Amino acid sequence: MADVKNAAAEGFDVGKIRADFPILFREIYGKPLVYLDNGASAQKPRAVIEAMQYTLEHEYANVHRGLHYLSNTATAKFEEAREITRRFLNAPSVDDIIFTANSTGAINLVASSFGATLMEGDEIIVSHMEHHSNIVPWHFLRERRGCVLKWAPISDEGELLLDELAKLMSPRTKILALTHMSNVLGTVVPIKDVIRMAHERGIPVFVDGSQAAVHMTVDVQDLDCDFYCFTGHKVYGPTGIGVLYAKRQHLAAMQPFMGGGEMIEHVGTDRITYASAPHKFEAGTPAIVEAIGLGAALNYMMQVGRDRIAAHEAMLRDYAHARLGELNWLKIYGTAKDKGAIVSFNIDGLHPHDVSTIIDRSGVAVRAGHHCAQPLMERLGVAATCRASFAMYNTKAEVDALAAALIKAHDFFA
Ligand SMILES: Cc1ncc(COP(=O)(O)O)c(C=O)c1O
């Protein structure tokens, strides 16, 4: 790419970053790959691929159970990944970090375990811009326990309406479950203010950081959130691994979500006691190699520098808005003051699936559909959008390639 040296952030060399991601050098239909589907899943740096391969080739065994060399080594590496994750979130202790399958697993864990104490008429607040992962598990509580789901509205720009949110909070509100960054609009929610508002009323807050953890520095102690989750494959790590952070008092009070090996202290014929967190919530053999891969991914992000990544992506966001803003037949969804490098759009008269299919022929990968956010699509009055979502390895030249491919698609149908 021509502008690989172009970096908004000092000391950030996007060309050097790109060299760490082998897949970026392949071609699609004979064209250089322009991968702008990072909101769905990010590509993996060599550090992750090699950490996983090394584990499988040299250090693989089941964890926690064995007394032999390989099991001890695998356990140490697995627990080291937990410590890296603790550092990534600035959690107070490794005991507050639970490995799950993904964000969906983390949210289901909280909805099931924390939700087990909820009664008919208890209220759960979500927003109109949640991913289905942060809606459906709460709907289960509505369907199965008679809880009430309340929906925090957003403005036309895609900003959470804080005054309206405050009005929804009542003595029956048992939890607020909100995204930190919208996967469709890119909106960054002022989550620290929201948490303060909720805590003033004694309401705990679950934060879905699936997108935010990729693009900004997250400090769970500074946020003072009760729960925070993210998913490995979006932070340049593997699939099959996710993270739930929770405050200790919640983990101590919550009943386990799944039962099995690893999570018990003692099992008798008529009595069972559980291990303490995090193991209480990690029944069965965990995703060992994936956790180690996640550790390598988070280390990679921290070495590059999360503030530097954020600065580079802010430059890409501004450039993408400027370039796509020039196209008067294209509508952008989501213009919040604080937004990440995610740009959703539609072209007048064209179905987003057609747009995505056509620009794919130019090597440009974007996502089209409802993005697992149907209540948001309803709020926006559309069935679907196209979404270009950026990562640390994207360049201004790739934004230009996106704009050129969109112009070609538009001209094709004109
Ligand atoms: C905001 C948000 N929440 C939750 C998820 C679910 O992540 P996973 O499918 O890895 O569990 C996603 C994935 O797209 C997301 O963007």
Side-chain angles (χ1 to χ4, degrees):
M1 289 288 155
D3 70 333
V4 289
K5 287 271 178 265
N6 184 331
E10 215 176 305
F12 186 94
D13 181 346
V14 72
K16 203 157 154 259
I17 302 277
R18 291 179 70 81
D20 290 336
F21 290 80
I23 203 170
L24 298 181
F25 294 90
R26 67 158 295 174
E27 294 190 336
I28 304 289
Y29 303 119
K31 310 269 170 40
L33 167 65
V34 176
Y35 187 76
L36 302 178
D37 193 20
N38 298 285
S41 206
Q43 300 298 348
K44 319 304 170 199
R46 207 171 269 111
V48 170
I49 298 164
E50 286 174 358
M52 295 176 76
Q53 187 170 353
Y54 188 85
T55 303
L56 287 166
E57 285 183 357
H58 301 283
E59 293 183 334
Y60 180 78
N62 208 336
V63 292
H64 297 141
R65 302 172 198 190
L67 291 173
H68 59 83
Y69 182 88
L70 273 187
S71 179
N72 289 338
T73 308
T75 303
K77 289 287 172 70
F78 179 76
E79 291 302 330
E80 187 184 320
R82 202 190 300 275
E83 164 57 21
I84 296 165
T85 308
R86 183 205 66 73
R87 238 177 336 110
F88 185 78
L89 291 177
N90 192 31
S93 161
V94 282
D95 295 340
D96 310 332
I97 302 293
I98 295 156
F99 285 132
T100 59
N102 42 35
S103 285
T104 305
I107 303 168
N108 276 275
L109 192 164
V110 176
S112 301
S113 292
F114 179 87
T117 57
L118 268 53
M119 319 278 274
E120 191 173 343
D122 281 345
E123 296 165 0
I124 299 156
I125 300 178
V126 295
S127 86
H128 270 288
M129 52 184 167
E130 301 309 315
H131 187 281
H132 292 166
S133 287
N134 197 29
I135 298 174
V136 180
W138 307 112
H139 259 310
F140 286 172
L141 292 171
R142 182 191 59 74
E143 282 184 342
R144 298 169 191 177
R145 305 184 76 87
C147 295
V148 177
L149 264 191
K150 289 172 130 183
W151 294 83
I154 58 167
S155 69
D156 289 343
E157 292 73 32
E159 287 177 347
L160 189 65
L161 297 170
L162 296 188
D163 290 345
E164 299 301 316
L165 171 63
K167 283 185 211 157
L168 294 178
M169 297 183 200
S170 88
R172 290 302 303 263
T173 308
K174 292 294 183 270
I175 192 162
L176 220 77
L178 293 179
T179 189
H180 195 175
M181 180 189 286
S182 161
N183 64 311
V184 178
L185 304 173
T187 305
V188 176
V189 171
I191 203 72
K192 195 171 166 180
D193 296 339
V194 170
I195 291 165
R196 196 180 329 107
M197 279 164 56
H199 284 178
E200 279 165 10
R201 295 160 175 84
I203 302 167
V205 181
F206 174 90
V207 184
D208 176 0
S210 304
Q211 297 293 337
V214 191
H215 303 291
M216 51 204 278
T217 302
V218 175
D219 180 334
V220 291
Q221 293 189 75
D222 180 53
L223 293 179
D224 196 28
C225 52
D226 295 86
F227 303 95
Y228 198 97
C229 81
F230 68 93
T231 192
H233 64 98
K234 293 189 206 284
V235 286
Y236 309 99
T239 52
I241 185 81
V243 172
L244 173 67
Y245 156 80
K247 278 187 179 166
R248 209 159 305 162
Q249 69 265 29
H250 294 304
L251 292 177
M254 278 158 46
Q255 290 295 305
F257 164 48
M258 276 199 289
E262 298 280 335
M263 49 76 72
I264 52 88
E265 185 183 64
H266 179 77
V267 178
T269 52
D270 58 357
R271 196 167 167 274
I272 171 168
T273 53
Y274 304 119
S276 51
H279 305 294
K280 177 166 122 180
F281 298 101
E282 292 181 354
T285 300
I288 301 163
V289 181
E290 289 77 4
I292 291 167
L294 173 68
L298 300 183
N299 261 343
Y300 182 84
M301 285 181 74
M302 290 190 281
Q303 274 158 18
V304 172
R306 288 154 88 192
D307 291 346
R308 286 202 191 113
I309 295 171
H312 175 70
E313 291 178 352
M315 179 277 292
L316 291 173
R317 173 205 59 208
D318 292 346
Y319 189 61
H321 268 257
R323 284 304 321 269
L324 300 195
E326 289 163 3
L327 311 174
N328 61 10
W329 33 261
L330 180 146
K331 178 176 166 58
I332 292 178
Y333 301 91
T335 51
K337 270 190 231 86
D338 194 2
K339 78 169 265 176
I342 293 176
V343 185
S344 281
F345 58 89
N346 272 331
I347 294 181
D348 290 347
L350 296 190
H351 195 285
H353 286 174
D354 293 336
V355 174
S356 157
T357 306
I358 287 183
I359 68 175
D360 179 51
R361 285 278 160 183
S362 303
V364 180
V366 299
R367 184 141 295 241
H370 55 59
H371 313 293
C372 296
Q374 285 181 333
L376 177 60
M377 294 295 120
E378 216 171 279
R379 169 65 181 82
L380 299 174
V382 294
T385 70
C386 288
R387 178 188 70 183
S389 48
F390 297 88
M392 68 166 100
Y393 42 66
N394 290 125
T395 65
K396 280 176 83 176
E398 289 183 311
V399 176
D400 291 335
L402 168 68
L406 290 172
I407 291 167
K408 211 162 139 192
H410 178 257
D411 290 351
F412 180 80
F413 285 104

